[in-house]
């Protein structure tokens, strides 16, 4: 019966599903707050936290190099994406690994809107060699790519060991010579007409998942 309800509900609009959730404390969708719990946080009862409250909950200083989750856009194309990833790394406690191309340091400095030092690992220009070294040292290498063997983002577990999230080129993805160095491939589901998300968005989603924060 539960499986049948999930199939039927999949054809409903999100608004319809949420309306059903209001009246049902046993909604089959785990991402929807149900029944009384949902009613308790709707309308005028919602209170947005002030900037001061949020500031008290954040770290007062940048985190040191935890060396646990590393976002690795190893074939960068747009500097703006590196700045966005740098901010996501700060949010989830990750590090950023990038090749020392002539334009990359300036792009990172310009994109670091936090105005604090960030944890950056320089990989050198041979991305595959760097990946092979990291893998040989015991790191798990996760590639964000469209592949038959890919796991869905929702099924990606949080990182239990040192993990490198490899992000490919904006246009061509992860090159063939690097796919053999991946331990896991993760795919971000899409229902639109685009072939993929940009590097910053895709990387941010995967980093939050690896950090166990979503």
């Amino acid at each position: 019966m539960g499986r049948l309800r999930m199939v039927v509900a999949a054809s409903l609009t999100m608004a319809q599903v949420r309306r059903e959730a209001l009246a049902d404390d046993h909604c089959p969708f785990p991402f929807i707050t149900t029944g009384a719990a949902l009613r308790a946080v709707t309308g005028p009862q919602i209170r947005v936290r002030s900037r001061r409250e949020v500031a008290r909950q954040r770290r007062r200083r940048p985190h040191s190099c935890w060396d646990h989750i590393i976002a690795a856009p190893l074939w960068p194309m747009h500097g703006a994406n590196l700045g966005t990833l740098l901010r996501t790394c700060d949010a989830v406690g990750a590090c950023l690994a990038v090749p020392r191309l002539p334009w990359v340091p300036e792009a990172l400095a310009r994109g670091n809107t936090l105005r604090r030092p960030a944890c950056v690992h320089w990989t050198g220009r041979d991305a595959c060699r760097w990946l092979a070294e990291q893998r040989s040292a015991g790191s798990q290498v996760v590639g964000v790519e469209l592949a038959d063997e890919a796991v869905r983002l929702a099924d990606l577990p949080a990182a239990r060991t040192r993990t490198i999230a490899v992000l490919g080129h904006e246009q061509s993805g992860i090159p063939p010579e690097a796919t053999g160095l991946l331990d896991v491939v993760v795919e971000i589901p899409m229902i639109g007409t685009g072939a993929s998300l940009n590097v910053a968005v895709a990387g941010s989603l995967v980093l939050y998942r690896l950090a166990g924060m979503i």
Side-chain angles (χ1 to χ4, degrees), residues 58-64 90 116:
R58 298 291 190 265
R59 294 186 302 268
R60 297 196 176 186
R61 295 182 298 274
H63 65 80
S64 59
D90 174 81
R116 298 187 182 98

Side-chain angles (χ1 to χ4, degrees), residues 22-200:
L22 280 169
D24 185 358
D25 287 326
H26 303 285
C27 179
F29 293 89
F31 56 85
I32 296 178
T33 306
T34 61
L38 184 57
R39 287 191 294 272
V41 294
T42 57
Q45 297 180 17
I46 295 175
R47 188 183 73 83
V48 178
R49 285 175 292 171
S50 67
R51 288 181 174 270
R52 181 172 296 180
E53 289 175 308
V54 172
R56 283 201 298 265
Q57 296 174 351
R58 298 291 190 265
R59 294 186 302 268
R60 297 196 176 186
R61 295 182 298 274
H63 65 80
S64 59
C65 179
W66 292 343
D67 203 32
H68 181 61
I69 300 173
I70 298 96
L74 301 179
W75 301 272
M77 182 177 176
H78 301 301
N81 285 331
L82 296 182
T84 301
L85 277 172
L86 203 61
R87 182 141 190 167
T88 302
C89 286
D90 174 81
V92 303
C95 305
L96 186 70
V98 287
R100 196 185 284 275
L101 300 175
W103 59 271
V104 168
E106 181 182 350
L108 290 176
R110 186 171 59 251
N112 185 9
T113 57
L114 295 171
R115 303 303 179 192
R116 298 187 182 98
C119 182
V120 177
H121 298 222
W122 298 103
T123 67
R125 296 200 178 194
D126 191 337
C128 290
R129 178 179 177 180
W130 181 81
L131 275 180
E133 292 172 350
Q134 304 305 307
R135 196 169 184 233
S136 296
S139 296
Q140 182 184 45
V141 182
V142 176
V144 184
E145 187 59 278
L146 303 175
D148 291 338
E149 302 81 5
V151 300
R152 292 174 65 252
L153 178 66
D155 298 325
L156 182 68
R160 301 298 180 190
T161 61
R162 187 177 189 267
T163 301
I164 298 169
V166 180
L167 304 166
H169 189 275
E170 289 277 6
Q171 296 177 346
S172 55
I174 298 175
E177 60 270 23
T179 56
L181 299 170
L182 305 177
D183 296 306
V184 179
V185 180
V186 60
E187 179 178 342
I188 301 172
M190 297 175 60
I191 60 173
T193 59
S196 63
L197 299 170
N198 73 27
V199 166

